[in-house]
PDB file of all heavy atoms in Angstrom:
ATOM      1  N   GLY A 278      20.449   7.868   5.968  1.00 90.00           N
ATOM      2  CA  GLY A 278      19.291   8.620   5.509  1.00 90.00           C
ATOM      3  C   GLY A 278      19.209   8.736   3.996  1.00 90.00           C
ATOM      4  O   GLY A 278      18.148   8.530   3.391  1.00 90.00           O
ATOM      5  N   THR A 279      20.322   9.048   3.364  1.00 90.00           N
ATOM      6  CA  THR A 279      20.345   9.184   1.907  1.00 90.00           C
ATOM      7  C   THR A 279      20.039   7.864   1.214  1.00 90.00           C
ATOM      8  O   THR A 279      19.246   7.811   0.277  1.00 90.00           O
ATOM      9  CB  THR A 279      21.729   9.701   1.441  1.00 90.00           C
ATOM     10  OG1 THR A 279      22.020  10.909   2.147  1.00 90.00           O
ATOM     11  CG2 THR A 279      21.753   9.953  -0.039  1.00 90.00           C
ATOM     12  N   ALA A 280      20.646   6.791   1.717  1.00 92.00           N
ATOM     13  CA  ALA A 280      20.411   5.473   1.117  1.00 92.00           C
ATOM     14  C   ALA A 280      18.960   5.027   1.322  1.00 92.00           C
ATOM     15  O   ALA A 280      18.327   4.482   0.406  1.00 92.00           O
ATOM     16  CB  ALA A 280      21.364   4.451   1.720  1.00 92.00           C
ATOM     17  N   ALA A 281      18.416   5.268   2.519  1.00 92.00           N
ATOM     18  CA  ALA A 281      17.032   4.879   2.805  1.00 92.00           C
ATOM     19  C   ALA A 281      16.066   5.657   1.925  1.00 92.00           C
ATOM     20  O   ALA A 281      15.091   5.099   1.402  1.00 92.00           O
ATOM     21  CB  ALA A 281      16.713   5.109   4.272  1.00 92.00           C
ATOM     22  N   LEU A 282      16.328   6.943   1.739  1.00 92.00           N
ATOM     23  CA  LEU A 282      15.463   7.767   0.896  1.00 92.00           C
ATOM     24  C   LEU A 282      15.518   7.299  -0.557  1.00 92.00           C
ATOM     25  O   LEU A 282      14.475   7.170  -1.211  1.00 92.00           O
ATOM     26  CB  LEU A 282      15.875   9.233   1.014  1.00 92.00           C
ATOM     27  CG  LEU A 282      14.927  10.252   0.441  1.00 92.00           C
ATOM     28  CD1 LEU A 282      13.558  10.152   1.090  1.00 92.00           C
ATOM     29  CD2 LEU A 282      15.488  11.649   0.622  1.00 92.00           C
ATOM     30  N   ALA A 283      16.718   7.002  -1.054  1.00 93.00           N
ATOM     31  CA  ALA A 283      16.853   6.535  -2.443  1.00 93.00           C
ATOM     32  C   ALA A 283      16.161   5.193  -2.645  1.00 93.00           C
ATOM     33  O   ALA A 283      15.461   4.984  -3.647  1.00 93.00           O
ATOM     34  CB  ALA A 283      18.330   6.432  -2.817  1.00 93.00           C
ATOM     35  N   ALA A 284      16.338   4.279  -1.702  1.00 93.00           N
ATOM     36  CA  ALA A 284      15.696   2.968  -1.811  1.00 93.00           C
ATOM     37  C   ALA A 284      14.175   3.100  -1.772  1.00 93.00           C
ATOM     38  O   ALA A 284      13.464   2.438  -2.528  1.00 93.00           O
ATOM     39  CB  ALA A 284      16.174   2.052  -0.683  1.00 93.00           C
ATOM     40  N   THR A 285      13.672   3.974  -0.912  1.00 93.00           N
ATOM     41  CA  THR A 285      12.220   4.157  -0.813  1.00 93.00           C
ATOM     42  C   THR A 285      11.657   4.797  -2.064  1.00 93.00           C
ATOM     43  O   THR A 285      10.577   4.417  -2.528  1.00 93.00           O
ATOM     44  CB  THR A 285      11.872   4.999   0.433  1.00 93.00           C
ATOM     45  OG1 THR A 285      12.383   4.318   1.586  1.00 93.00           O
ATOM     46  CG2 THR A 285      10.386   5.186   0.562  1.00 93.00           C
ATOM     47  N   VAL A 286      12.376   5.766  -2.635  1.00 94.00           N
ATOM     48  CA  VAL A 286      11.908   6.388  -3.883  1.00 94.00           C
ATOM     49  C   VAL A 286      11.807   5.335  -4.980  1.00 94.00           C
ATOM     50  O   VAL A 286      10.828   5.296  -5.742  1.00 94.00           O
ATOM     51  CB  VAL A 286      12.828   7.555  -4.303  1.00 94.00           C
ATOM     52  CG1 VAL A 286      12.564   7.990  -5.729  1.00 94.00           C
ATOM     53  CG2 VAL A 286      12.655   8.730  -3.351  1.00 94.00           C
ATOM     54  N   ALA A 287      12.794   4.439  -5.050  1.00 95.00           N
ATOM     55  CA  ALA A 287      12.751   3.369  -6.054  1.00 95.00           C
ATOM     56  C   ALA A 287      11.542   2.458  -5.824  1.00 95.00           C
ATOM     57  O   ALA A 287      10.842   2.086  -6.771  1.00 95.00           O
ATOM     58  CB  ALA A 287      14.041   2.552  -6.014  1.00 95.00           C
ATOM     59  N   LEU A 288      11.270   2.111  -4.565  1.00 93.00           N
ATOM     60  CA  LEU A 288      10.113   1.271  -4.263  1.00 93.00           C
ATOM     61  C   LEU A 288       8.797   1.986  -4.558  1.00 93.00           C
ATOM     62  O   LEU A 288       7.862   1.384  -5.090  1.00 93.00           O
ATOM     63  CB  LEU A 288      10.133   0.850  -2.787  1.00 93.00           C
ATOM     64  CG  LEU A 288      11.149  -0.214  -2.408  1.00 93.00           C
ATOM     65  CD1 LEU A 288      11.259  -0.343  -0.896  1.00 93.00           C
ATOM     66  CD2 LEU A 288      10.776  -1.551  -3.028  1.00 93.00           C
ATOM     67  N   VAL A 289       8.721   3.261  -4.235  1.00 93.00           N
ATOM     68  CA  VAL A 289       7.500   4.033  -4.483  1.00 93.00           C
ATOM     69  C   VAL A 289       7.224   4.124  -5.978  1.00 93.00           C
ATOM     70  O   VAL A 289       6.080   3.968  -6.416  1.00 93.00           O
ATOM     71  CB  VAL A 289       7.588   5.437  -3.835  1.00 93.00           C
ATOM     72  CG1 VAL A 289       6.504   6.361  -4.353  1.00 93.00           C
ATOM     73  CG2 VAL A 289       7.508   5.316  -2.324  1.00 93.00           C
ATOM     74  N   VAL A 290       8.258   4.351  -6.764  1.00 95.00           N
ATOM     75  CA  VAL A 290       8.076   4.394  -8.223  1.00 95.00           C
ATOM     76  C   VAL A 290       7.624   3.026  -8.725  1.00 95.00           C
ATOM     77  O   VAL A 290       6.706   2.924  -9.545  1.00 95.00           O
ATOM     78  CB  VAL A 290       9.373   4.846  -8.934  1.00 95.00           C
ATOM     79  CG1 VAL A 290       9.286   4.640 -10.429  1.00 95.00           C
ATOM     80  CG2 VAL A 290       9.666   6.307  -8.609  1.00 95.00           C
ATOM     81  N   GLY A 291       8.242   1.977  -8.216  1.00 94.00           N
ATOM     82  CA  GLY A 291       7.855   0.622  -8.626  1.00 94.00           C
ATOM     83  C   GLY A 291       6.419   0.294  -8.278  1.00 94.00           C
ATOM     84  O   GLY A 291       5.670  -0.232  -9.103  1.00 94.00           O
ATOM     85  N   PHE A 292       6.015   0.602  -7.054  1.00 92.00           N
ATOM     86  CA  PHE A 292       4.628   0.352  -6.664  1.00 92.00           C
ATOM     87  C   PHE A 292       3.675   1.328  -7.343  1.00 92.00           C
ATOM     88  O   PHE A 292       2.531   0.998  -7.624  1.00 92.00           O
ATOM     89  CB  PHE A 292       4.449   0.438  -5.148  1.00 92.00           C
ATOM     90  CG  PHE A 292       4.914  -0.796  -4.425  1.00 92.00           C
ATOM     91  CD1 PHE A 292       5.977  -0.738  -3.546  1.00 92.00           C
ATOM     92  CD2 PHE A 292       4.290  -2.013  -4.617  1.00 92.00           C
ATOM     93  CE1 PHE A 292       6.413  -1.866  -2.874  1.00 92.00           C
ATOM     94  CE2 PHE A 292       4.705  -3.155  -3.958  1.00 92.00           C
ATOM     95  CZ  PHE A 292       5.772  -3.076  -3.083  1.00 92.00           C
ATOM     96  N   GLY A 293       4.147   2.543  -7.609  1.00 92.00           N
ATOM     97  CA  GLY A 293       3.314   3.541  -8.280  1.00 92.00           C
ATOM     98  C   GLY A 293       2.914   3.124  -9.679  1.00 92.00           C
ATOM     99  O   GLY A 293       1.844   3.501 -10.169  1.00 92.00           O
ATOM    100  N   VAL A 294       3.753   2.343 -10.334  1.00 95.00           N
ATOM    101  CA  VAL A 294       3.442   1.851 -11.676  1.00 95.00           C
ATOM    102  C   VAL A 294       2.160   1.019 -11.657  1.00 95.00           C
ATOM    103  O   VAL A 294       1.408   0.997 -12.638  1.00 95.00           O
ATOM    104  CB  VAL A 294       4.633   1.035 -12.237  1.00 95.00           C
ATOM    105  CG1 VAL A 294       4.267   0.287 -13.494  1.00 95.00           C
ATOM    106  CG2 VAL A 294       5.815   1.950 -12.495  1.00 95.00           C
ATOM    107  N   LEU A 295       1.890   0.379 -10.533  1.00 92.00           N
ATOM    108  CA  LEU A 295       0.679  -0.437 -10.432  1.00 92.00           C
ATOM    109  C   LEU A 295      -0.596   0.397 -10.544  1.00 92.00           C
ATOM    110  O   LEU A 295      -1.663  -0.143 -10.815  1.00 92.00           O
ATOM    111  CB  LEU A 295       0.669  -1.225  -9.120  1.00 92.00           C
ATOM    112  CG  LEU A 295       1.770  -2.270  -8.961  1.00 92.00           C
ATOM    113  CD1 LEU A 295       1.702  -2.902  -7.586  1.00 92.00           C
ATOM    114  CD2 LEU A 295       1.682  -3.322 -10.046  1.00 92.00           C
ATOM    115  N   ALA A 296      -0.475   1.704 -10.340  1.00 91.00           N
ATOM    116  CA  ALA A 296      -1.648   2.581 -10.461  1.00 91.00           C
ATOM    117  C   ALA A 296      -2.170   2.632 -11.892  1.00 91.00           C
ATOM    118  O   ALA A 296      -3.312   3.029 -12.125  1.00 91.00           O
ATOM    119  CB  ALA A 296      -1.302   3.988  -9.982  1.00 91.00           C
ATOM    120  N   THR A 297      -1.370   2.213 -12.860  1.00 94.00           N
ATOM    121  CA  THR A 297      -1.809   2.208 -14.259  1.00 94.00           C
ATOM    122  C   THR A 297      -2.507   0.913 -14.653  1.00 94.00           C
ATOM    123  O   THR A 297      -2.959   0.790 -15.786  1.00 94.00           O
ATOM    124  CB  THR A 297      -0.607   2.435 -15.199  1.00 94.00           C
ATOM    125  OG1 THR A 297       0.311   1.342 -15.042  1.00 94.00           O
ATOM    126  CG2 THR A 297       0.104   3.747 -14.888  1.00 94.00           C
ATOM    127  N   SER A 298      -2.601  -0.025 -13.708  1.00 92.00           N
ATOM    128  CA  SER A 298      -3.233  -1.309 -13.996  1.00 92.00           C
ATOM    129  C   SER A 298      -4.735  -1.147 -14.214  1.00 92.00           C
ATOM    130  O   SER A 298      -5.345  -0.173 -13.786  1.00 92.00           O
ATOM    131  CB  SER A 298      -3.000  -2.267 -12.825  1.00 92.00           C
ATOM    132  OG  SER A 298      -3.708  -3.467 -13.001  1.00 92.00           O
ATOM    133  N   GLN A 299      -5.325  -2.122 -14.879  1.00 92.00           N
ATOM    134  CA  GLN A 299      -6.773  -2.129 -15.045  1.00 92.00           C
ATOM    135  C   GLN A 299      -7.441  -3.031 -13.999  1.00 92.00           C
ATOM    136  O   GLN A 299      -8.655  -3.076 -13.907  1.00 92.00           O
ATOM    137  CB  GLN A 299      -7.145  -2.592 -16.451  1.00 92.00           C
ATOM    138  CG  GLN A 299      -6.715  -1.596 -17.498  1.00 92.00           C
ATOM    139  CD  GLN A 299      -7.107  -2.039 -18.891  1.00 92.00           C
ATOM    140  OE1 GLN A 299      -7.683  -3.106 -19.090  1.00 92.00           O
ATOM    141  NE2 GLN A 299      -6.791  -1.211 -19.866  1.00 92.00           N
ATOM    142  N   PHE A 300      -6.628  -3.728 -13.216  1.00 87.00           N
ATOM    143  CA  PHE A 300      -7.127  -4.601 -12.154  1.00 87.00           C
ATOM    144  C   PHE A 300      -7.164  -3.790 -10.860  1.00 87.00           C
ATOM    145  O   PHE A 300      -6.132  -3.424 -10.305  1.00 87.00           O
ATOM    146  CB  PHE A 300      -6.216  -5.831 -12.028  1.00 87.00           C
ATOM    147  CG  PHE A 300      -6.703  -6.878 -11.081  1.00 87.00           C
ATOM    148  CD1 PHE A 300      -7.982  -7.413 -11.193  1.00 87.00           C
ATOM    149  CD2 PHE A 300      -5.881  -7.361 -10.082  1.00 87.00           C
ATOM    150  CE1 PHE A 300      -8.429  -8.388 -10.314  1.00 87.00           C
ATOM    151  CE2 PHE A 300      -6.310  -8.335  -9.203  1.00 87.00           C
ATOM    152  CZ  PHE A 300      -7.593  -8.855  -9.322  1.00 87.00           C
ATOM    153  N   VAL A 301      -8.349  -3.483 -10.372  1.00 82.00           N
ATOM    154  CA  VAL A 301      -8.545  -2.546  -9.261  1.00 82.00           C
ATOM    155  C   VAL A 301      -7.755  -2.928  -8.000  1.00 82.00           C
ATOM    156  O   VAL A 301      -7.131  -2.057  -7.397  1.00 82.00           O
ATOM    157  CB  VAL A 301     -10.054  -2.358  -8.964  1.00 82.00           C
ATOM    158  CG1 VAL A 301     -10.268  -1.515  -7.724  1.00 82.00           C
ATOM    159  CG2 VAL A 301     -10.740  -1.729 -10.162  1.00 82.00           C
TER     160      VAL A 301
END
């Protein structure tokens, strides 16, 4: 559970960065 949560948080942050893109 701890490892899955940490890995998902890293992925969410990585994908969340795409929200700053100018390409819709």
